[in-house]
Amino acid sequence: MASLKLIGARPSPYVNRVQFALNLKSLDYEFLVEKFGTKSELLLKSNPVHKKIPVLIHDDKPICESLIIVEYIDEIWTSGPPLLPSDPYDRALARFWAAYIDDKWAPLLRELRTAQEEEEKKRVLDQMFQVLIQLEGAYRQCSKGKAFFGGDNVGYLDIALGGFLGWMKVAEKLIGVRLLDEAKTPALVGWAERFCSHDALKDAVPTAEELLEFAQKHFMAKPPTPN
Amino acid sequence: MAGASSDLKLLGAGPSPYVNRVQIALNLKAINYEFLEEKFGSKSELLLKSNPVHKKIPVLIHGDKPICESLIIVQYIDEVWTSGPSILPSDPYDRALHRFWAAYIDDKDLRTAEGEKAKQLAVERIAEGMALLEDALGKCGKGKPFFGGDNVGYLDIAFGSSLGWLRATEKLAGVTLFNEAKTPGLVAWADAFSSHEAVKGVIPETDKLVELAKMFKARAQSQSAN
C-alpha cells in the first residue's frame, strides 16, 4: 500500500480538489490538517517555495499545486476511470478551462469577500456572473450532453470547478445572492447537484455550516446579520 | 508523422516568448506549420474568432480546432505527435516537477522596474528565482545539460523562451541576471538551449528586443503625455 499523506484543510477549495481525485481513485490517505494562520514544519519543508496547502506526499516525495497533484494522481493510479480525457484536444480544453477558473474565478471570490461598498460588491458580482456564463458554455461544449464536464464520469475540469462549490453556497448565504442561478446558468445548476450528490464526492464537499463557522471565525469582525 | 502545412497554423508574433514556446515545440517534433503574424497593436478576425475568451497569442489551429495558452499548446503538441522526442518527461513525478516550475515561471514577474530602488528590488526578486531554478536544474536534469536531461524538455521550453527578454533586460537595466558565480548551471544551460537546433532562429536577437523595448517605452510615454 502506497504511503499517501495530504497536508491541507477542508475549507480550502484547492485541498478539496485533491480529496475529490483521491476519492475517485479509491485511495486511502492520511489527512494532516493544517491549522489556519500557522504553517507546520512539514508544510514548510514540503513546499518551501510557496508554503501553501495542498501538498500531497507520496512515499516521502512532495507534490504541490492542486491541479498538478490531480494530474499526478491520474498518471500514477491508472486503474479506474481516468480523470483527464483521453483525446488530446479534449485534454487541452479541460486544461484551458481549469486555468481560466484559477485565473478569473478564484480572484473574484476573494474580491467578493473583501468588498466593502455595495457598489463594489455589485461590480464583482457582475464579473462573477460573466465568468459563470462562460463556464456554462464550457460545460455544454465539454460534456457533450452528458452528466459532467468529463462526460459520463467526473473528470479534471469537474474537479477544478467543484472545489469551489462549498464556498459558492456559503456566498449565497452571506450575501443573499444565488450564484448558481437556474435563470442564468441552468446547466451548471444541474451539474452542481449531480457533483454534490456523487458517492465519491459528497463527503469531501465541505458543508455550508462548517464553512460559515470558518468564515465567521477568521474573516469577520462580527457574525453576519440574519436574513 | 509531420503535419501538413495547411493543416496547422500558428497565430503569433516573433517577439512573444509565449509564441516562441510553441515554435520550439513544433521544431522539436519537426512539424511544418503556417505562421500567421499578428501585427502589434491590432487583433485579427481569426485571432478574435479562435481565442474569444482571452484574445491573445499564441493560438495553434489544428485542422479547424483552436488550442490556446502556450503551455497547454506545448502539451497538446507532445500528446498528438508521439513520434519524435518526448517533451514532457515519462516519469509522473518528474512531470509534476516540470509543471510546478513552469507554473512558477509564469507566476513570477521577471521584469525589472524604473527607478534605482525599484530596480534593485526587482533584481533581487529575479535573483531569488534564479537561485531556485539553479537548484531545480540540478534536481530535474540530474547533471545533464537540460531540465529535460539529455533533451530539451517542457521546463526548458517554459523557461528558455524568456531568455531573449532576460538578456534584453540585462542590457536595458545594466544588470547581470545570469551570474557565472551564483548560477553556473543556468549559465551553461542558457548557452546550450540558445544554440539548440530547435531554438536557433526562434528567439529574436537581444539587440532587436532592446530596440523593441525602447520603442514600446517611447510609444507609452507619448501616449500618456497626450
Side-chain angles (χ1 to χ4, degrees):
Chain A
M1 185 74 223
S3 155
L4 270 177
K5 297 178 171 64
L6 175 62
I7 308 177
R10 276 175 64 91
S12 160
Y14 304 101
V15 171
N16 293 157
R17 286 170 168 177
V18 179
Q19 291 175 298
F20 297 146
L22 292 166
N23 288 1
L24 286 163
K25 298 280 189 178
S26 306
L27 294 168
D28 289 325
Y29 62 97
E30 196 187 341
F31 191 42
L32 302 172
V33 179
E34 282 288 311
K35 297 251 180 314
F36 186 80
T38 64
K39 293 177 196 284
S40 69
E41 279 291 313
L42 185 61
L43 175 61
L44 296 174
K45 193 184 91 168
S46 310
N47 191 358
V49 176
H50 301 300
K51 307 175 176 58
K52 283 184 177 176
I53 53 174
V55 180
L56 184 74
I57 306 180
H58 181 206
D59 292 338
D60 298 326
K61 290 185 296 194
I63 304 103
C64 308
E65 298 293 286
S66 63
L67 293 177
I68 293 176
I69 299 171
V70 171
E71 288 217 45
Y72 176 81
I73 288 168
D74 200 32
E75 289 169 5
I76 296 260
W77 287 280
T78 51
S79 67
L83 300 175
L84 265 291
S86 45
D87 174 73
Y89 187 69
D90 292 337
R91 290 159 79 88
L93 277 183
R95 287 173 176 143
F96 175 87
W97 287 112
Y100 176 83
I101 289 162
D102 277 354
D103 288 340
K104 305 281 185 204
W105 178 255
L108 286 173
L109 210 51
R110 271 197 299 277
E111 271 184 61
L112 185 68
R113 175 166 60 79
T114 56
Q116 304 283 20
E117 310 290 310
E118 274 311 305
E119 210 176 289
E120 202 188 330
K121 271 188 205 160
K122 183 169 187 310
R123 184 186 59 79
V124 175
L125 272 171
D126 281 343
Q127 286 181 47
M128 288 174 94
F129 283 124
Q130 287 311 308
V131 167
L132 286 171
I133 287 164
Q134 287 277 18
L135 291 172
E136 173 93 352
Y139 173 75
R140 289 184 195 279
Q141 184 187 25
C142 297
S143 65
K144 296 168 192 155
K146 304 231 172 125
F148 299 104
F149 285 90
D152 286 317
N153 297 310
V154 171
Y156 178 84
L157 186 48
D158 298 278
I159 290 170
L161 186 57
F164 292 99
L165 282 173
W167 281 106
M168 282 201 238
K169 290 193 207 151
V170 169
E172 289 170 17
K173 284 197 193 230
L174 288 173
I175 58 170
V177 174
R178 189 166 297 162
L179 289 173
L180 284 180
D181 188 326
E182 217 24 271
K184 295 189 173 80
T185 55
L188 283 182
V189 170
W191 167 81
E193 277 163 24
R194 289 188 291 277
F195 188 97
C196 291
S197 51
H198 189 290
D199 275 329
L201 306 174
K202 57 184 188 234
D203 293 329
V205 180
T207 62
E209 287 68 39
E210 73 182 281
L211 290 181
L212 259 176
E213 194 189 309
F214 178 85
Q216 281 163 12
K217 199 165 157 191
H218 300 293
F219 297 154
M220 288 151 165
K222 57 176 171 53
T225 51
N227 285 339
Chain B
M1 174 192 96
S5 277
S6 58
D7 202 31
L8 209 54
K9 297 174 170 59
L10 174 61
L11 273 71
S16 161
Y18 303 104
V19 172
N20 293 160
R21 286 171 171 178
V22 179
Q23 291 171 294
I24 293 164
L26 290 167
N27 287 354
L28 280 170
K29 299 279 192 178
I31 300 167
N32 293 322
Y33 63 98
E34 194 187 344
F35 188 61
L36 299 173
E37 181 111 28
E38 285 286 314
K39 296 263 180 303
F40 182 78
S42 68
K43 292 176 197 284
S44 70
E45 279 292 313
L46 185 58
L47 175 61
L48 295 174
K49 194 184 93 169
S50 310
N51 190 359
V53 176
H54 300 301
K55 306 176 175 59
K56 283 183 177 176
I57 51 172
V59 181
L60 185 73
I61 306 179
H62 187 196
D64 56 357
K65 293 186 291 199
I67 303 102
C68 309
E69 298 293 285
S70 63
L71 293 178
I72 293 175
I73 300 171
V74 170
Q75 290 186 85
Y76 175 81
I77 289 166
D78 200 32
E79 290 169 4
V80 173
W81 286 276
T82 50
S83 65
S86 278
I87 295 174
L88 263 292
S90 47
D91 175 72
Y93 190 72
D94 292 336
R95 290 158 80 90
L97 280 182
H98 276 238
R99 286 175 174 141
F100 175 87
W101 287 111
Y104 174 84
I105 285 155
D106 274 354
D107 288 342
K108 188 94 175 161
D109 193 351
L110 294 175
R111 298 165 303 173
T112 60
E114 294 295 308
E116 274 313 302
K117 185 118 187 272
K119 193 163 87 174
Q120 185 54 32
L121 283 170
V123 170
E124 274 166 21
R125 193 189 59 238
I126 295 172
E128 187 187 85
M130 300 287 274
L132 287 173
L133 287 162
E134 174 85 4
D135 195 54
L137 179 60
K139 292 209 169 74
C140 295
K142 296 162 192 150
K144 305 252 172 102
F146 300 107
F147 288 92
D150 285 314
N151 298 315
V152 165
Y154 184 77
L155 183 50
D156 298 280
I157 294 173
F159 186 30
S161 53
S162 57
L163 278 173
W165 282 106
L166 284 171
R167 297 242 184 267
T169 298
E170 285 182 320
K171 285 203 173 174
L172 284 161
V175 296
T176 305
L177 300 173
F178 283 88
N179 189 318
E180 182 73 55
K182 292 189 182 145
T183 57
L186 286 180
V187 169
W189 165 81
D191 262 337
F193 184 82
S194 306
S195 50
H196 191 283
E197 274 308 304
V199 177
K200 272 195 298 208
V202 172
I203 299 175
E205 292 294 319
T206 307
D207 289 331
K208 180 166 176 224
L209 293 176
V210 167
E211 285 312 306
L212 261 174
K214 288 179 180 166
M215 192 193 79
F216 291 156
K217 188 174 164 185
R219 203 179 276 187
Q221 281 173 342
S222 72
Q223 276 170 357
S224 63
N226 286 343

